[in-house]
Every structure is written in C-alpha cells, then in structure tokens.
Amino acid sequence: MSVYRRGLAEIGINRTPLPNRSKPATLKANINSEEKLKNSADSTTLSTVPEIDYSSRVDDDHYYMLKSPYQLKTPVIRESTPKKMELLQDEEPIERFDGVDDDGRFHLEEFARPAPVLKATLTQYVGNAEPIERFGGTDEDDGRFHFDEPFGDCPVLLERDYGMDQNLSKADVERYSRQLLVHEFGVNGQKELKAARVLVVGAGGLGCPTAMYLAGAGVGTLGIADFDMVSKDNLHRQVAHSETLVGKLKVDSLKQSILSNIAVRTFSTVLNGAQTMDIAKDFDVVADCSDNAATRYMLNDVCVFLNKPLVSGSALRWEGQLTVYNYGEDGPCYRCLFPHPPAAHLVTNCSEGGQKDCAVCGEAPTIHAPIDYEVFCGSGVVDKNPSLSLLDPNERVSVSEYSTARKSPTILVDTRPKHEFAIASLPEARNIPMDSLKQLEDIELRKLLGLSEAADVFVICHRGNDSQLAVRLIQERFKSEIESNGFQVKDIVGGYDRWAEEIDQEFPRY
Amino acid sequence: MPTSLTLEFSGGSEFLVGNQKEHKVSLPIDQPTVSQLIQWIKKEILTDHNRDDLFVMDDSVRPGVLVLVNECDWELLERNETILKDGDVVTFISTLHGG
C-alpha cells in the first residue's frame, strides 16, 4: 500500500561566489519541510531534517552537482531541531531521497546572485513496503520535483524539472526564446513546429528561403528535393547557395546552409509521381517551390491522394504568388482552380469546372493515381536545354561554322529582346527582337535585315530556339528575294550560350 | 449608358496590354457582363494580337488566369455572367510558375 502525501519545504542555499568556474565551490543548503500526515496514527516517528552541509563541484556541463543528503542509509535526523519535517517510516527505513535526476543528485545551474531561496511544493510517496523513492514535485504524474514559483532571477534550476514541456529541451528554449515569447506562437507553436515534417520541393529562389526559415524557426524534419546543380546565375537570389558550391547539387548545397540542429533529408532526382508519393507520405506539409507547371500538378495530385496540405509559391520578375491548397475539409486543390494546364495548344476544351467537378478531388474524380505530368502539361520539368528542332540540318550552322563564316561579310540578326541584347552581343549583330520581326512591315524589315547586301543571313538568339522560328519567318516573308539573290538564311545552333561555351569563353553566359 | 471600370493586369498579363498594369476604361455597354468585358478587352486594348491566346480562349480567359471582381474571385460570383457596375474593379492575374 502506498500513501501519497504532499508537503511544503523551504530550501535555502547559500553559496560562496565562484571565483572561477573550474574550481570547486562549497554550498550550504538548508532543507526544511513541513508535512501533515493524512493519518496521524501511522505516524510513529517524527523526524526533522536539519541543516546539511555538503560540497559540490562544477562538472563538464557547468552544473553544480550536489550530492543528495538522502543517500545516507539513515537520514540525518535529530529530535532536537525544530520539528519541521515529518516523515513516515514503517518497516522500511527511508533509504533514499532522490533528487531530480536518475543519478540521485540535484543539478543546480551555476548562479551568480547570492543566497537564492526556493520555495517548493514537494511530493513524497510513502509506503509500507516501499521506501521513499522520490522527492518529486507538484506534478503528480511524473513524481518529479517541480517548483511552483517562477523564480525569475533565482538561478537554481533543476534540469528537466521546471514544468517545461517534455518535447522542448533547454537548448530549444534558449534558441527559440524570441518566438516562444510571441504568445500566439508560444510553447505550443514551437512544439508543433518541432513535430512537423515539411517537404520543400525545389531548392531555388523560393526553396532556399523557405528551407532556411523553416530550419531557423525549428521545424522538426526538413525534406529538400531538387535534381539541379548550383549555377552562377542562381547566386543572386538563391541565397543559401555559396560561391564555392557552384556546380554541386543544390540539395547538398542548401543542406550545408541549414542549421545543424535540424534533421534534413535530401532527394536529388527528377521526381515522378510514384516516387513523390513515396517520399511525401513521410511528411506533414508539402511546400511547392518548383518552377514548372508539370511539377505543380504532380505535387497537387500527390497531396490530394495523401491528404496533405500543399503550400504553393511562385515568383516571376516583380511579382510573387502564394496559395495554400488542399487544406482542411473543403479547401480547393490546384486543379480546382486550374483544371487545365497553361500550355494552351494541349488544352482540349474550357468547360467551366468548379470544385465539385475537379478531376482529382471532386465528387467523381477521374484521376486516382499520379499521371504523366510532362505529357499532361506539354512541358517538361527541366528548363535548361533547347528542345526546339524546327529546321533541317542544312538550314543550321554550328557556332564554329559561324566563327569561320563571319570572316567574310555576313548579316547577323540577333532576335533577343532589347534588354538582353544590351547585356552583350557580337559586334556585327543587328538587334531585331522577335516581336519586331513579327510586327514590322516588309519594307521596314527588309531594310533592317539588309537583304539587298546579298550576303548570307545568320540568325542568333540566347539558346537557339527563337532563332529557328525567325529563320522560318524570314524565309517565308522574303522567299522571292532569297531565291533571286541566291543567299541563305541560317540559324546558329545553340545561340550565344553555345558561342560562349565553345568559341569564346570571354562572352558572358547568363 | 457607358460603364466606367478600373482594370488591373498582373502576373505577366500586363505585357499583353501595353505593359500597363492599371487601365481606367469606359465600356459603351450598360451593365456589361465579365464575358462582354473580355471581348471588349480583346478588341480594344490587347496590343499584340499574335498573342491573344495568352489571354483569351473560347470566349473566356485562358486557363491559369484568375479573375477578381472587386477583389472577389469570380468563381464565387457568376464567372462570365457576373454583371459589372459603374466603378467596379476587375483584376486579371496570370498565374506564375517561377520558383
């Protein structure tokens, strides 16, 4: 049978200020306790714990380690001192009077102020067959020592015994104090954040700050997915990546910028639907920081199938957009708002679908598992390589062929927008942006192109897509001149980017 | 009686209307619907008709363009049939995909 009882104790601790943290110090503690017995008939021995002297040392943690005075076989009990503490002893003597920690010792943090006084409510378990095992606190569940009062300046801290949430460590509290003090966030917010697992898809302009701020705030687990490598033109906005890691995987680079206390999992492949299902199931929230429609639809569908909220961000030029999809009972998904992908030529019709009709989360969904999103959107997830192949090989020249051709008089048409032309261009290039090429009257365009010069016309752009369209356009509009003057209109494969790569590394790549 | 409206274009759709984000316009229609407004925009203020289809498709806006009437999503109103009043603000936002 156990008797559960509660009493009040005062602990006074006097200490000699530590001249040096590494040197031992002497502490003196008084522990006085008053207790009323529930059943005074059981109270056969009344004892008092008098003043006790004991020493301490500073251990590696910079904590004072105080030996519990109650580790003695028989407690120091003297009848002559004021009867302040009454302990019940049956057959078993009081053997131990544990401190807070499992090692039976009090842990007192270093303090600099003199003579702090603690008031504490103590809980004792007293039993016939059981010795007093614990010297616990007000928390009846864990039987541990908890101080009632916030001690403010009082520096005596008993480790793990301050009513702190079990899920937050002392280090957590110290690190996250500024947001714990925001009462709408507080301990509960921190706890939930620490328990949360967030998958960030895309380690670029959006993914970098998203991952870094989540990590800074103390998210529990961070997943980072990106197949790409860091390039120099990422650095101006993808601020987690450092100059030294250009050419390395973005996931690894971003991971290096993440605070060391956060668990990070990285995924460095081009994600397909099935993989993403497998990865995302271990996360609570998915952050879409990707840069393409195919990935956006894929993440949406996966989040619908797995019933997870999707936080979707996007940014271009001067604008940014942020939306939370698939949140709560009736929150819409991405497909509810955008049933059709943006690539217009693949869109079959424009039925006015509301949320009820959504193909993935509606009342009668037609999509039950991830699909091929590149086919669905008509565009890929990798945006780097030119994919257009419009012209015959004999209508195209390589950069090296052009570097030879330009030694003779040629006409070089540069179809890039004016602001790109202003970055850098070949000296012979004449800038006729695509828009002008389409809109100008024949007579003006002929003048700009200089077709009367009867030299071959070469067309260049940034990466070699627009230049092909331009070649076709010029050929169609000036068919008769081309035939009668006998010159050719050719596209420079790979554009300035390839020029910079293969011919002149001084040409800036952007 | 003509209807005065403020039109806002963003998310890239402003490039289709002379790179100007806000347009104060007067429609020669009494209480036009959004559908009528879209047709009017197509005729009167889309500057690059080669790229009409980046904004208009099948008598409505292209997929991926959000439409707000007085800051309220038109999905919550009557979509194309929403009736506009003098002084209303209609916003067209192209969705972005950059990351």
Side-chain angles (χ1 to χ4, degrees):
Chain A
M1 188 193 78
S2 291
V3 179
Y4 178 70
R5 61 182 71 224
R6 187 178 280 183
L8 184 71
E10 281 188 19
I11 303 172
I13 297 179
N14 308 309
R15 68 180 284 275
T16 309
L18 266 187
N20 184 321
R21 186 176 269 193
S22 62
K23 289 185 180 169
T26 301
L27 295 180
K28 198 172 175 186
N30 306 318
I31 299 181
N32 301 304
S33 173
E34 275 185 356
E35 186 177 25
K36 284 185 178 165
L37 297 179
K38 268 188 181 168
N39 182 351
S40 58
D42 291 336
S43 175
T44 54
T45 307
L46 299 180
S47 309
T48 298
V49 181
E51 184 177 290
I52 300 157
D53 292 336
Y54 48 93
S55 298
S56 75
R57 61 182 179 80
V58 179
D59 74 356
D60 295 336
D61 300 319
H62 312 303
Y63 281 77
Y64 286 104
M65 304 297 284
L66 301 190
K67 284 209 163 203
S68 163
Y70 300 104
Q71 285 180 327
L72 301 169
K73 260 288 184 203
T74 307
V76 180
I77 293 167
R78 285 202 301 240
E79 287 285 340
S80 59
T81 51
K83 292 177 179 176
K84 288 222 171 174
M85 187 173 187
E86 302 171 351
L87 299 174
L88 179 67
Q89 290 184 313
D90 290 326
E91 298 100 13
E92 297 280 335
I94 298 171
E95 290 187 342
R96 290 202 302 135
F97 198 43
D98 280 356
V100 251
D101 211 347
D102 295 331
D103 62 3
R105 295 187 293 185
F106 289 99
H107 291 218
L108 300 187
E109 200 181 47
E110 180 184 358
F111 53 87
R113 288 162 199 271
V117 176
L118 302 183
K119 277 195 170 180
T121 303
L122 309 181
T123 304
Q124 297 177 12
Y125 295 95
V126 183
N128 289 339
E130 298 170 40
I132 295 172
E133 290 186 342
R134 293 283 174 98
F135 191 48
T138 48
D139 189 333
E140 298 180 5
D141 293 330
D142 64 8
R144 281 171 182 268
F145 199 102
H146 291 270
F147 289 108
D148 278 339
E149 291 284 325
F151 288 102
D153 289 339
C154 174
V156 177
L157 299 175
L158 301 189
E159 206 179 15
R160 281 185 283 151
D161 266 359
Y162 275 81
M164 279 167 53
D165 193 285
Q166 287 185 352
N167 296 306
L168 293 186
S169 67
K170 176 168 170 287
D172 287 338
V173 171
E174 288 167 358
R175 179 174 291 227
Y176 303 116
S177 65
R178 289 304 179 273
Q179 62 199 30
L180 288 170
L181 294 173
V182 177
H183 81 266
E184 292 88 348
F185 191 77
V187 167
N188 280 339
Q190 194 67 54
K191 225 168 71 181
E192 286 178 24
L193 188 60
K194 189 176 178 181
R197 304 161 299 171
V198 181
L199 175 62
V200 176
V201 180
L206 294 173
C208 283
T210 302
M212 289 178 81
Y213 275 94
L214 281 171
V219 72
T221 302
L222 196 58
I224 307 170
D226 198 311
F227 61 85
D228 206 2
M229 318 284 180
V230 179
S231 68
K232 217 183 285 177
D233 60 14
N234 294 152
L235 300 178
H236 80 111
R237 67 189 188 286
Q238 302 180 17
V239 291
H241 304 310
S242 68
E243 290 166 309
T244 54
L245 294 177
V246 168
K248 305 288 188 217
L249 279 171
K250 282 187 178 179
V251 291
D252 294 341
S253 168
L254 177 50
K255 187 178 176 179
Q256 287 194 23
S257 293
I258 297 297
L259 297 167
S260 63
N261 63 323
I262 304 297
V264 181
R265 298 175 62 194
T266 58
F267 310 93
S268 60
T269 55
V270 179
L271 294 176
N272 64 30
Q275 284 171 323
T276 310
M277 289 284 284
D278 193 47
I279 292 169
K281 72 178 189 329
D282 296 330
F283 291 87
D284 304 306
V285 179
V286 177
D288 182 353
C289 302
S290 73
D291 63 355
N292 62 83
T295 303
R296 292 191 186 280
Y297 278 100
M298 177 182 75
L299 292 177
N300 177 70
D301 292 359
V302 165
C303 285
V304 170
F305 298 140
L306 297 175
N307 194 24
K308 294 182 191 292
L310 173 65
V311 181
S312 178
S314 59
L316 197 70
R317 296 192 183 90
W318 299 99
E319 287 179 62
Q321 295 172 350
L322 176 68
T323 320
V324 178
Y325 295 110
N326 198 42
Y327 182 66
E329 288 281 305
D330 51 2
C333 81
Y334 188 69
R335 270 186 200 271
C336 297
L337 267 66
F338 306 109
H340 306 290
H345 64 280
L346 279 180
V347 176
T348 50
N349 61 45
C350 186
S351 72
E352 311 217 328
Q355 194 187 341
K356 283 188 304 195
D357 309 321
C358 178
V360 66
C361 79
E363 287 172 355
T366 53
I367 299 170
H368 305 281
I371 59 174
D372 186 327
Y373 295 92
E374 297 200 346
V375 170
F376 175 68
C377 293
S379 59
V381 299
V382 182
D383 62 354
K384 295 259 158 78
N385 301 318
S387 50
L388 190 67
S389 187
L390 182 71
L391 304 174
D392 288 337
N394 63 8
E395 296 171 299
R396 313 184 75 182
V397 296
S398 68
V399 286
S400 123
E401 285 166 328
Y402 179 70
S403 73
T404 308
R406 71 196 282 258
K407 289 171 184 161
S408 316
T410 55
I411 296 168
L412 181 64
V413 176
D414 185 328
T415 62
R416 294 174 300 161
K418 283 200 185 319
H419 66 274
E420 282 190 46
F421 186 78
I423 295 171
S425 63
L426 281 170
E428 70 270 27
R430 49 187 84 185
N431 187 211
I432 312 176
M434 278 307 280
D435 284 350
S436 311
L437 213 56
K438 287 178 188 164
Q439 285 166 13
L440 287 173
E441 299 295 330
D442 280 1
I443 186 160
E444 290 172 283
L445 187 55
R446 183 177 294 113
K447 214 157 135 194
L448 282 175
L449 287 169
L451 294 183
S452 61
E453 292 164 27
D456 283 343
V457 175
F458 294 88
V459 184
I460 194 165
C461 67
H462 186 196
R463 293 200 172 97
N465 287 338
D466 271 355
S467 56
Q468 295 181 62
L469 296 168
V471 164
R472 191 58 89 225
L473 196 142
I474 295 168
Q475 285 171 342
E476 283 164 7
R477 285 181 69 172
F478 301 102
K479 203 170 176 217
S480 58
E481 276 120 312
I482 291 169
E483 281 169 4
S484 58
N485 289 345
F487 64 87
Q488 293 184 310
V489 185
K490 293 195 172 188
D491 153 60
I492 298 174
V493 177
Y496 279 110
D497 205 50
R498 194 70 57 78
W499 180 270
E501 194 180 342
E502 293 179 13
I503 305 297
D504 185 1
Q505 298 193 345
E506 288 304 302
F507 192 92
R509 300 182 78 172
Y510 63 93
Chain B
M1 195 180 116
T3 309
S4 295
L5 299 171
T6 301
L7 308 182
E8 295 173 337
F9 295 86
S10 64
S13 62
E14 70 272 21
F15 293 116
L16 305 172
V17 291
N19 204 6
Q20 183 185 331
K21 287 192 171 234
E22 190 178 293
H23 295 249
K24 301 264 187 201
V25 302
S26 177
L27 251 66
I29 307 171
D30 193 30
Q31 297 203 322
T33 62
V34 172
S35 178
Q36 286 173 310
L37 171 66
I38 291 166
Q39 293 313 311
W40 184 87
I41 289 171
K42 182 176 172 183
K43 203 163 116 233
E44 301 292 337
I45 62 175
L46 280 189
T47 49
D48 180 357
H49 289 293
N50 290 322
R51 296 198 290 179
D52 276 358
D53 60 349
L54 290 178
F55 186 71
V56 191
M57 218 179 107
D58 299 343
D59 298 333
S60 189
V61 291
R62 203 204 59 162
V65 178
L66 293 174
V67 182
L68 312 180
V69 177
N70 297 326
E71 301 190 352
C72 176
D73 193 331
W74 75 342
E75 299 280 350
L76 301 173
L77 305 168
E78 303 297 321
R79 292 182 53 95
N80 271 313
E81 303 312 315
T82 308
I83 290 170
L84 299 170
K85 304 182 309 295
D86 211 51
D88 279 353
V89 180
V90 185
T91 311
F92 299 94
I93 305 173
S94 286
T95 46
L96 309 175
H97 292 289

